[in-house]
Amino acid sequence: MSYHFDQFIDRRNTFCTQWDYIKDRFGEEDLLPFSISDTDFKAPEPVIKAVSERVSHGIFGYSRWNHSAFKSSITGWYKNRFNADFNEDWVLYSPTVCYAISILIELNSKPKDKVVVFSPLYDAFFNIIKERDRELVLNPLHLENGRYTIDFKSLERELQTAEILLLTNPHNPTGRVFSKEELLKIIALCKAYDVFLISDDIHMDIVYPGSAYTPVLSLSTERVVICSSASKTMNTPGLIGSYLLVPDEALREQFLRILKGRDALSSVSILGMHALIAGYNEGASYVDELLLYLEKNMNLVRDFFSAELPDIAFLKPEATYLAWLDARGLNLTDDAIQNALVTKGKVAVMSGATYGAPGFLRLNVACPESKLLDGLSRMKKALH
């Protein structure tokens, strides 16, 4: 392999959210963190080179994203990785995926309207929907034989009175990749009840063998938008930048009026833009090697819990670098589990209650194997 994902890089004292500010979320310092969904890996070499060269220029004035270099790198990535042809005109910049989703909710619904989401749910969406004064409608995914499935009957009932369906594909935190057949059913229901479909696809690149990511826009372009970013895959969220794929021209114009005219956010992060262009144009081999390493880590987690903590159920996810652990077999409260992990194991693992799923844990495995083994050992010590 060209990339050395086994290399441990000390991220402390870099103002790192996951390492330096762990006390904010877990109440104690000096914990080994597996919490925030970024990685402990260096970005791809082409990204580091592009950013370094841009920094060496020494001038970082206002910059623009609305050009072919930015937009073609995105459409080219979808073409090369997913065999999906999208028009460059569809590409818009956003500082973050969450900002884009918030504005799309504002533009496609009114206060008190219903927004349907699958649960468990990425925690940021709770506040986004609340702050937009929309009604959050949770549609629970059903856990059957270790796999989460959609209850399409209940989904249809909820969409009849909703304005928006906020989809996460691949799904965070369960790791489901929704199949083409499932997406077609979702699209059909949204069309039947005139529901706007927002698809957050930020984890689209981390999909393991046996599953395949399908961009929903390759199936329909009517009242459908994809929001995504290279930041999770290339580990560049600190450089700022994401994008939208918006087929509807009128909606693009509305979004740009808010981005620039109201919120004054249209000047791109110059380093974030160069990172995305380099990552999407030259980072394919990095992603291929990253997937191999992450799958190895997932296998390690599976084997560990099977042998050492069998009361915690785990089946490898179809996607993401987030291991979703069913700890209900411990017969302990979430508070008891977190107290043991933090005070006895000195390890920080996200509680499933954060995502609306008490009794579960979310463990980020995007780290060197040595760190992961240390963390699993700490979990065993704490829970025993």
Side-chain angles (χ1 to χ4, degrees):
M1 296 177 70
S2 302
Y3 290 93
H4 303 291
F5 298 111
D6 273 327
Q7 179 187 9
F8 179 80
I9 301 170
D10 192 351
R11 300 178 67 191
R12 291 169 297 184
N13 301 314
T14 63
F15 305 107
C16 169
T17 299
Q18 180 162 200
W19 287 82
D20 291 329
Y21 298 97
I22 197 70
K23 186 177 180 180
D24 293 352
R25 191 179 289 263
F26 292 91
E28 290 198 17
E29 297 177 346
D30 298 323
L31 304 179
L32 189 66
F34 297 87
S35 52
I36 305 301
S37 57
D38 61 9
T39 83
D40 287 323
F41 305 132
K42 276 190 176 182
E45 283 302 323
V47 169
I48 295 172
K49 180 183 177 188
V51 171
S52 298
E53 289 178 351
R54 187 60 186 81
V55 167
S56 68
H57 182 269
I59 298 176
F60 314 109
Y62 291 116
S63 305
R64 296 197 178 188
W65 57 267
N66 196 1
H67 46 73
S68 184
F70 176 71
K71 296 193 286 189
S72 67
S73 68
I74 294 167
T75 56
W77 186 257
Y78 279 87
K79 174 63 177 176
N80 295 329
R81 301 295 289 188
F82 312 118
N83 196 31
D85 281 307
F86 297 143
N87 193 315
E88 283 187 28
D89 291 340
W90 297 0
V91 177
L92 299 178
Y93 165 80
S94 171
T96 70
V97 166
C98 285
Y99 173 83
I101 290 171
S102 178
I103 300 305
L104 289 168
I105 290 173
E106 176 186 353
L107 289 173
N108 292 280
S109 63
K110 304 182 300 297
K112 310 304 180 185
D113 280 347
K114 294 179 179 179
V115 178
V116 178
V117 295
F118 292 129
S119 63
L121 176 66
Y122 170 53
D123 55 312
F125 292 161
F126 289 104
N127 284 333
I128 288 173
I129 294 168
K130 176 184 177 182
E131 292 300 322
R132 283 296 173 198
D133 193 23
R134 269 55 169 182
E135 180 182 344
L136 172 67
V137 179
L138 297 175
N139 181 268
L141 296 171
H142 289 262
L143 185 56
E144 300 175 355
N145 300 317
R147 189 171 189 264
Y148 283 88
T149 60
I150 300 171
D151 182 344
F152 280 99
K153 288 184 179 180
S154 70
L155 180 62
E156 181 170 11
R157 287 195 302 269
E158 289 154 358
L159 291 180
Q160 289 177 22
T161 58
E163 295 298 324
I164 291 174
L165 173 62
L166 175 53
L167 177 69
T168 308
N169 184 38
H171 186 258
N172 176 7
T174 68
R176 266 302 318 275
V177 183
F178 296 113
S179 68
K180 181 179 179 180
E181 290 71 26
E182 288 172 313
L183 293 175
L184 286 170
K185 288 182 181 180
I186 289 170
I187 290 167
L189 290 175
C190 287
K191 285 184 177 180
Y193 300 108
D194 196 26
V195 173
F196 190 83
L197 176 57
I198 303 171
S199 190
D200 168 12
D201 295 9
I202 198 169
H203 293 280
M204 65 192 188
D205 296 313
I206 311 300
V207 176
Y208 302 112
S211 300
Y213 160 74
T214 301
V216 69
L217 279 175
S218 66
L219 305 176
S220 175
T221 59
E222 184 179 343
R223 304 204 73 207
V224 179
V225 168
I226 285 177
C227 302
S228 195
S229 172
S231 62
K232 297 288 186 188
T233 308
M234 310 293 177
N235 201 24
T236 57
L239 295 179
I240 308 300
S242 75
Y243 58 86
L244 308 73
L245 296 170
V246 185
D248 184 274
E249 182 178 3
L251 182 58
R252 292 200 300 270
E253 292 176 356
Q254 289 177 304
F255 184 90
L256 289 175
R257 279 201 299 272
I258 291 176
L259 180 77
K260 182 175 182 178
R262 188 189 72 185
D263 295 345
L265 291 171
S266 63
S267 185
V268 69
S269 161
I270 186 65
L271 299 184
M273 181 177 68
H274 277 278
L276 179 143
I277 292 171
Y280 275 177
N281 286 345
E282 305 174 66
S285 63
Y286 175 91
V287 179
D288 293 340
E289 293 184 19
L290 176 65
L291 281 168
L292 293 173
Y293 195 86
L294 292 174
E295 186 176 27
K296 180 171 67 72
N297 276 358
M298 284 294 184
N299 289 338
L300 191 156
V301 171
R302 177 198 61 199
D303 295 343
F304 177 87
F305 283 107
S306 176
E308 305 293 339
L309 287 169
D311 288 334
I312 294 182
F314 171 67
L315 288 177
K316 283 172 57 179
E318 296 169 342
T320 80
Y321 44 72
L322 307 168
W324 187 237
L325 309 172
D326 185 348
R328 293 175 296 178
L330 295 172
N331 293 317
L332 296 170
T333 65
D334 283 37
D335 287 344
I337 292 173
Q338 284 299 315
N339 182 64
L341 292 173
V342 171
T343 64
K344 304 299 183 184
K346 294 296 182 180
V347 61
V349 181
M350 295 298 295
S351 168
T354 302
Y355 315 99
F360 287 78
L361 296 165
R362 197 192 77 170
L363 175 76
N364 181 350
V365 308
C367 60
E369 181 183 296
S370 59
K371 178 195 172 188
L372 182 58
L373 287 171
D374 188 5
L376 293 173
S377 176
R378 292 172 184 232
M379 292 181 71
K380 177 183 175 181
K381 173 185 175 182
L383 296 175
H384 276 183

